[in-house]
Amino acid sequence: MASSSSRTTGSCSSMNITVERNPSKSRLSELGINSWPKWGCPPGKYMLKFDAQETCYLLRGKVKVYPKGSSSSEFVEFGSGDLVIIPKGLSCTWDVSVAVDKHYKFESSSTPTSSS
């Protein structure tokens, strides 16, 4: 029996973040996760705008993502072991409760910009 499961989370239509919980080792290998660059940050709040779609795999951490202009009840949460796809054009706040360490890949050469 497979232990991985897929699901898309998000409570508002402007935020189509896809979260795949505990993807299989073969899936991670297919994507070449270990060859992707790494990024990390300490706990805190970060204002980000994604100029390109990002796919990331969290090695550790816990994050709640709030889209710009949303209510405090509209968020997507993900953490260690999750494979996450963040859509191009999303402006959001990352509320990091546990320090993040992740592999990431952008669909183009663009990177997220900080607006703080």
Side-chain angles (χ1 to χ4, degrees), residues 46-65:
Y46 303 90
M47 305 272 297
L48 300 171
K49 180 172 189 320
F50 290 84
D51 295 327
Q53 176 179 291
E54 178 185 342
T55 302
C56 60
Y57 177 70
L58 273 74
L59 300 169
R60 65 183 160 151
K62 189 170 184 180
V63 180
K64 284 184 180 176
V65 176

Side-chain angles (χ1 to χ4, degrees), residues 1 4 63 81 92:
M1 176 179 268
S4 67
V63 180
C92 58

Side-chain angles (χ1 to χ4, degrees), residues 44-115:
K45 289 191 178 186
Y46 303 90
M47 305 272 297
L48 300 171
K49 180 172 189 320
F50 290 84
D51 295 327
Q53 176 179 291
E54 178 185 342
T55 302
C56 60
Y57 177 70
L58 273 74
L59 300 169
R60 65 183 160 151
K62 189 170 184 180
V63 180
K64 284 184 180 176
V65 176
Y66 297 88
K68 185 176 183 179
S70 71
S71 72
S72 62
S73 64
E74 291 180 302
F75 65 87
V76 173
E77 187 169 20
F78 50 85
S80 180
D82 290 339
L83 182 66
V84 181
I85 299 172
I86 300 165
K88 177 180 179 176
L90 179 69
S91 290
C92 58
T93 298
W94 277 40
D95 186 354
V96 178
S97 58
V98 177
V100 167
D101 187 17
K102 70 176 185 175
H103 284 288
Y104 69 95
K105 180 177 91 170
F106 289 101
E107 292 305 312
S108 74
S109 58
S110 299
T111 56
T113 54
S114 175
S115 58

